[in-house]
């Protein structure tokens, strides 16, 4: 009995000593060195009760570190100062920042070999440079290369990092670059994830510059010294018609119900093609070679034309066809366009939709939808 009483008294004494020690701020027991420290905080200064070091909990990553020194336990990797080139050495800075205090903890420059040109029958998709076998004579209206014709010019490839853009502008609004070429300034407008031909992500709201370069056109047919050409890339993004008024089951261009919204002859995209684009892309010499069709210098292909096997297309509108998947320029990608493009043919009789091409197949879209533009034209050879 005495032994039990003595044991009980010993336990009570130990508890009293423990509580007394806690009240006097006696340090907590040291965590065994063989175990990783779990960093327990007693206050807000982020100092561990066990090991005495300062640390940041996952819940505190975005909080100030208080009076303690930040040990940068959680880092964020960033890529900065990218220099991308098809022909010169590429490089970028790999930088690490502390997610708690924002301090840069490490920076290393990484070098890589030139990417090399991504050839697409005459020019590089990445930088827009022409192949060695293609020479553009500025004194000639066009240059023919195999089954393609280089004719007119428009913004396409993303500016090389080594080029500096000046404030000097030409009549078209393009900026002169340090390499002697002109560049279009664009603020990226995206609704989703997009990348350039280089594979680099496009940042929404970021300002980019795109090189104004010769457009490449594919010859669909030629006879009697004339040829029907279609641009070999989606050059920009436009709505077919910005306004569409519903009246019952029908959709009209105007309030008097006289014209359906999908009427190509009255469409905004037709007006843009034959005024703004026509006068921006071609010189006066080149315009003399363009053969107007029904008053149009530029036009969109029809649903029948993109199913014409004589033009190199699949005859079925539901069949996947790589020939109906033109390249999407970097300039167009920054505008939020992937690979859909308008045709001039109306869909149905209610005026709501027109035909368009998406992923090599033909479908229909509301005219107020923003799809890509692939212009076509007849030219005198």
């Amino acid at each position: 009995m005495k032994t039990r009483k003595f044991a009980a008294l010993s336990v009570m004494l130990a508890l009293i000593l423990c509580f007394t020690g806690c009240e006097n701020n006696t340090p907590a027991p040291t965590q065994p060195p063989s175990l990783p420290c779990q960093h327990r905080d007693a206050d807000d200064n982020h100092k561990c009760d066990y090991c005495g070091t300062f640390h940041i909990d996952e819940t505190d990553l975005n909080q100030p570190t208080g009076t303690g020194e930040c040990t940068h336990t959680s880092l964020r990797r960033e890529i900065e100062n990218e220099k991308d080139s098809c022909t010169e050495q590429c490089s970028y800075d790999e930088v690490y920042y502390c997610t708690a205090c924002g301090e840069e903890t490490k920076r290393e420059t990484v070098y890589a070999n030139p990417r090399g040109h991504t050839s697409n029958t005459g020019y590089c998709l990445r930088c827009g440079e022409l192949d060695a076998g293609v020479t553009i004579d500025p004194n000639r209206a066009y240059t023919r290369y195999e089954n393609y014709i280089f004719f007119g010019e428009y913004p396409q490839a993303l500016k090389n990092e080594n080029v500096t853009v000046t404030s000097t502008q030409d009549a078209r609004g393009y900026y002169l670059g340090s390499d002697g070429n002109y560049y279009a300034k664009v603020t990226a407008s995206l609704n989703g994830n997009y990348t350039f031909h280089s594979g680099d992500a496009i940042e929404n709201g970021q300002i980019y510059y795109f090189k104004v370069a010769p457009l490449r056109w594919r010859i669909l047919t030629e006879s009697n010294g004339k040829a029907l050409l279609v641009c070999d890339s989606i050059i920009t993004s436009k709505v077919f018609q910005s306004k569409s008024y519903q009246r019952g089951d029908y959709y009209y261009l105007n309030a008097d119900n006289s014209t359906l919204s999908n009427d190509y002859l009255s469409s905004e995209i037709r007006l843009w093609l034959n005024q703004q684009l026509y006068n921006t892309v071609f010189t006066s010499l080149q315009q003399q070679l363009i053969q107007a069709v029904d008053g149009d210098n530029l036009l969109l292909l029809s649903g029948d034309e993109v199913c014409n096997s004589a033009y190199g297309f699949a005859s079925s509108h539901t069949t996947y066809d790589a020939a109906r998947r033109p390249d999407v320029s970097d300039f167009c990608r920054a505008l939020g366009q992937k690979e859909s493009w308008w045709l001039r043919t109306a869909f149905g009789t209610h005026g709501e939709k027109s035909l368009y091409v998406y992923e090599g197949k033909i479908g229909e879209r509301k005219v107020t939808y923003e799809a890509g533009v692939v212009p076509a034209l007849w030219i005198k050879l």
Side-chain angles (χ1 to χ4, degrees):
M1 182 66 70
K2 292 182 178 180
T3 302
R4 293 179 180 175
K5 290 182 177 179
F6 179 77
L9 289 172
S10 298
V11 172
M12 292 178 61
L13 180 60
L15 290 173
I16 292 171
L17 290 174
C18 177
F19 283 115
T20 304
C22 291
E23 292 176 356
N24 293 328
N25 297 321
T26 302
T30 303
Q31 181 168 282
S34 60
L35 298 176
C37 186
Q38 299 303 309
H39 299 313
R40 189 185 72 181
D41 282 344
D43 48 35
D44 293 331
N45 68 356
H46 303 291
K47 185 175 182 180
C48 177
D49 293 343
Y50 284 126
C51 65
T53 62
F54 291 95
H55 74 98
I56 302 294
D57 289 341
E58 290 186 4
T59 56
D60 296 325
L61 289 179
N62 297 319
Q63 302 299 323
T65 57
T67 58
E69 179 183 355
C70 183
T71 55
H72 314 311
T73 56
S74 179
L75 303 177
R76 180 185 73 255
R77 178 176 177 268
E78 297 283 351
I79 298 298
E80 299 178 357
N81 301 323
E82 291 183 85
K83 294 182 179 180
D84 191 32
S85 175
C86 293
T87 58
E88 300 178 1
Q89 187 180 54
C90 304
S91 66
Y92 62 87
D93 289 344
E94 188 176 49
V95 190
Y96 289 87
Y97 294 95
C98 176
T99 58
C101 67
E103 182 178 336
E104 178 184 319
T105 63
K106 181 181 178 182
R107 178 181 292 268
E108 181 180 359
T109 301
V110 179
Y111 296 94
N113 293 326
R115 288 178 176 267
H117 292 305
T118 303
S119 182
N120 187 24
T121 316
Y123 72 105
C124 175
L125 292 174
R126 184 179 294 118
C127 70
E129 184 174 325
L130 298 176
D131 288 350
V134 182
T135 301
I136 302 296
D137 186 348
N139 297 317
R140 298 189 60 184
Y142 67 87
T143 297
R144 184 162 185 167
Y145 181 76
E146 298 180 356
N147 196 45
Y148 297 90
I149 285 180
F150 289 87
F151 185 57
E153 59 180 17
Y154 201 68
Q156 296 178 71
L158 182 66
K159 178 184 72 67
N160 190 290
E161 292 285 347
N162 299 327
V163 175
T164 301
V165 175
T166 70
S167 59
T168 302
Q169 290 181 272
D170 66 3
R172 301 169 296 179
Y174 298 143
Y175 293 85
L176 179 64
S178 57
D179 59 350
N181 293 303
Y182 280 89
Y183 292 83
K185 180 181 179 181
V186 171
T187 301
S189 178
L190 310 175
N191 184 19
N193 298 322
Y194 293 78
T195 59
F196 290 123
H197 281 101
S198 63
D200 296 330
I202 306 175
E203 297 182 26
N204 191 37
Q206 179 70 33
I207 294 177
Y208 296 98
Y209 290 88
F210 299 91
K211 183 179 178 180
V212 179
L215 283 173
R216 191 181 72 170
W217 306 74
R218 181 161 64 94
I219 301 174
L220 298 181
T221 184
E222 62 177 306
S223 63
N224 300 322
K226 298 180 181 179
L228 173 61
L229 313 179
V230 63
C231 192
D232 205 41
S233 62
I234 301 176
I235 62 171
T236 192
S237 185
K238 293 288 179 183
V239 297
F240 192 93
Q241 192 72 266
S242 63
K243 296 179 180 180
S244 182
Y245 300 95
Q246 185 176 4
R247 302 288 187 272
D249 293 333
Y250 293 86
Y251 294 80
Y252 295 95
L253 176 61
N254 39 42
D256 62 7
N257 300 347
S258 61
T259 306
L260 292 174
S261 295
N262 59 6
D263 179 61
Y264 177 70
L265 295 178
S266 303
S267 66
E268 293 176 15
I269 198 168
R270 175 177 179 251
L271 187 65
W272 178 83
L273 283 168
N274 287 280
Q275 291 188 5
Q276 185 173 340
L277 188 66
Y278 176 72
N279 291 310
T280 300
V281 170
F282 305 106
T283 65
S284 57
L285 173 62
Q286 292 169 334
Q287 290 177 354
Q288 294 175 27
L289 298 182
I290 296 176
Q291 307 295 293
V293 178
D294 296 327
D296 287 356
N297 294 306
L298 292 173
L299 64 153
L300 301 178
L301 292 180
S302 68
D304 289 338
E305 287 170 332
V306 293
C307 290
N308 189 339
S309 58
Y311 290 173
F313 296 115
S315 58
S316 171
H317 69 279
T318 58
T319 300
Y320 167 80
D321 185 9
R324 292 194 287 243
R325 296 188 70 176
D327 176 63
V328 185
S329 69
D330 282 343
F331 172 80
C332 192
R333 295 181 186 207
L335 298 176
Q337 182 52 237
K338 290 188 175 179
E339 58 174 293
S340 66
W341 50 287
W342 285 116
L343 301 175
R344 70 175 187 267
T345 306
F347 173 78
T349 59
H350 288 240
E352 182 183 16
K353 300 178 181 180
S354 284
L355 295 184
Y356 86 134
V357 180
Y358 181 70
E359 294 186 344
K361 299 179 181 181
I362 300 172
E364 69 280 346
R365 271 287 187 177
K366 291 183 178 181
V367 295
T368 53
Y369 177 76
E370 190 167 304
V373 178
V374 179
L377 55 82
W378 280 90
I379 185 177
K380 182 179 179 181
L381 298 175

